[in-house]
Amino acid sequence: MREDGIDGVPRRAVVVGAGVVGLSTAWFLQEHGVDVTVVDKQDVAAGSSWGNAGYLSPAFSIPLPEPAVLRYGLRTLFAPDAPLHVPASLDVGLWSFLTRFAAHCTPRAWRRSMQAFVPMNDECLDAFDALLAGGVDATTERAPLTAAFEDPAQAADLRHEFEQIRSCGQRIDTAELSTADAGVPQLSDRIASVLRVEGQRYVDPGEFTRALARSFVERGGTLRTGVAVRELVRTRGQVIVKSEPEERFSGEAVVLATGAWLSTLAKPLGVRTPVRAGRGYSFTVPTDEPVPGPIYLPAARVACTPYQGGLRVAGTMEFRPVDAPLDRGRIEAIVRSARPLLTGVRWEERRDEWVGGRPVTPDGRPLIGATKVPGTYVAGGHGMWGLTLGPLTGRLLAEQITTGKRPALLRPFDPLR
């Protein structure tokens, strides 16, 4: 009997969640010879795996709770136009979460969490390469990320952040350029300073996730959508997944990868760290000229990426219920903040307006690994970096499930912490 309570290598597994984290876990479980079923209450890439900015940027993959976020949040707590927004409400659970989040916004706590991210960031792009080499019919585009500033003094904050990351052991290659030398025609004449970050990539996130799903099915996996899981039951060496409509799926191992909905099913399994929805918005706009690579506007906290011949624009962190309707005012706030800094962008022709819940934990670290119930695992809470870290999360968790040994990289992300 292994330390996680499973007898031998699982023959069958069920993964709940058809986003990039869940499908990556399922795909890498197949690499170990496991027969996998993936279920989702909606569809493949129905949430943040579709609507995110598409960055594959280990240089920016950091814990969300940090002193600067706390200072900024206190100044703009209830401002509806602010990139970080907390609506006034009597949600006791939300305020309890935010209190815990604030307690982790210290230099010491951030550094401890960042040191856990560094080895994940070092390996995360290799996991994408493994998926592509294994038959996932998709591409990742290599391009530097251009951070643009209206005031050269604004660049100091990002340079300081990079220095803090480097002090934790992560390599980041940057170059300061003039706007003319940046080679990005979308930068307006308001941009006075540019910091280029080398070694990054980007992807069409929805297309990548759908390609991952196709590969999973082609390799013999079972994919069921429209299945809302309501509980997990452990019985006789199996975990039974009960769903609505009334169906049952079973396996020696079950993985919950349900994003911002993770706590609903994970809490009964002994996972006490809550996951809340940090909702992000995105939309797509046409551009007069091709976009050469990702653009980041740190002062506006807006991320832009080449997307289907145009530009995907993403931003905000909004702590509202995950299923709350899209707030069009938040879209307008992103447009107002980004419009002066970009040129040749047809803002009034925007399409694909979207809001989705990015899964945030109070300490900024994901929840990856075994729960208290033998045979059950969780993979979530990645915040804004579920796409960047999703394939590596799947590879490492599949290793733990099939060997019974937790990889060293996952120790800081113990879901029972």
Side-chain angles (χ1 to χ4, degrees):
M1 182 71 70
R2 309 179 333 170
E3 64 180 25
D4 56 8
I6 297 178
D7 185 12
V9 178
R11 294 171 298 164
R12 293 180 301 156
V14 181
V15 176
V16 184
V20 68
V21 174
L23 286 166
S24 294
T25 305
W27 195 94
F28 282 107
L29 281 170
Q30 289 179 317
E31 291 286 276
H32 292 272
V34 181
D35 181 11
V36 189
T37 297
V38 174
V39 301
D40 194 284
K41 68 177 181 179
Q42 295 180 338
D43 204 346
V44 172
S48 294
S49 292
W50 181 85
N52 70 82
Y55 282 15
L56 306 184
S57 296
F60 290 87
S61 177
I62 65 174
L64 183 59
E66 59 172 324
V69 168
L70 180 60
R71 291 192 298 270
Y72 181 84
L74 291 174
R75 291 199 310 268
T76 63
L77 190 59
F78 300 116
D81 285 355
L84 177 61
H85 178 53
V86 181
S89 75
L90 298 177
D91 185 341
V92 175
L94 173 59
W95 289 107
S96 174
F97 174 89
L98 291 175
T99 299
R100 294 177 61 178
F101 184 96
H104 285 91
C105 289
T106 66
R108 182 179 179 182
W110 181 88
R111 185 175 182 84
R112 183 170 60 247
S113 294
M114 187 65 230
Q115 288 170 339
F117 271 73
V118 169
M120 297 284 284
N121 291 340
D122 286 345
E123 295 190 21
C124 65
L125 297 181
D126 293 340
F128 279 90
D129 293 338
L131 291 172
L132 302 184
V136 176
D137 185 17
T139 59
T140 64
E141 303 294 336
R142 299 172 185 264
L145 186 149
T146 302
F149 305 89
E150 188 173 6
D151 182 349
Q154 295 170 341
D157 289 338
L158 186 58
R159 286 197 299 268
H160 175 71
E161 181 176 288
F162 284 157
E163 286 306 314
Q164 294 297 106
I165 296 171
R166 290 185 182 107
S167 74
C168 293
Q170 182 169 324
R171 179 179 176 180
I172 302 176
D173 295 326
T174 61
E176 296 196 38
L177 305 172
S178 67
T179 305
D181 292 335
V184 180
Q186 285 72 34
L187 299 183
S188 79
D189 57 11
R190 299 269 296 264
I191 297 299
S193 177
V194 169
L195 189 65
R196 188 168 66 191
V197 186
E198 305 289 353
Q200 312 303 295
R201 304 188 199 179
Y202 68 93
V203 70
D204 179 328
E207 283 302 311
F208 182 88
T209 307
R210 285 189 284 268
L212 181 54
R214 289 194 298 270
S215 177
F216 165 73
V217 172
E218 289 166 359
R219 288 151 50 103
T222 300
L223 176 62
R224 292 287 308 280
T225 57
V227 175
V229 173
R230 54 186 174 84
E231 67 174 322
L232 308 183
V233 178
R234 172 78 178 179
T235 176
R236 295 190 300 276
Q238 297 281 308
V239 181
I240 309 299
V241 178
K242 296 184 177 181
S243 70
E244 298 173 358
E246 190 62 39
E247 288 189 82
R248 295 190 176 196
F249 306 87
S250 64
E252 291 85 7
V254 171
V255 179
L256 299 179
T258 52
W261 294 267
L262 186 67
S263 289
T264 302
L265 292 171
K267 189 175 181 179
L269 306 178
V271 179
R272 295 177 297 176
T273 300
V275 174
R276 298 287 302 205
R279 302 198 329 155
Y281 286 73
S282 72
F283 53 89
T284 303
V285 284
T287 58
D288 294 342
E289 297 186 59
V291 186
I295 305 167
Y296 179 41
L297 306 174
R301 288 173 167 78
V302 170
C304 307
T305 318
Y307 181 74
Q308 297 184 0
L311 186 72
R312 170 165 281 183
V313 182
T316 83
M317 175 68 71
E318 176 188 60
F319 285 101
R320 295 182 65 193
V322 62
D323 293 317
L326 180 146
D327 181 350
R328 198 160 301 281
R330 304 293 291 163
I331 297 282
E332 295 293 345
I334 295 173
V335 173
R336 284 194 298 272
S337 66
R339 187 196 294 268
L341 307 179
L342 300 176
T343 189
V345 177
R346 301 198 289 276
W347 298 100
E348 306 311 320
E349 298 177 37
R350 62 183 178 269
R351 59 181 173 87
D352 295 338
E353 293 184 345
W354 172 89
V355 63
R358 296 166 296 196
V360 178
T361 62
D363 62 7
R365 284 179 281 151
L367 306 171
I368 311 168
T371 76
K372 286 185 176 180
V373 177
T376 64
Y377 304 82
V378 297
H382 293 78
M384 296 181 292
W385 308 115
L387 178 63
T388 298
L389 299 179
L392 180 59
T393 293
R395 191 181 78 187
L396 294 172
L397 186 56
E399 178 184 333
Q400 179 176 355
I401 291 169
T402 54
T403 67
K405 299 178 181 179
R406 179 170 57 185
L409 268 63
L410 293 187
R411 295 186 187 282
F413 309 115
D414 185 350
L416 301 180
R417 62 181 183 270

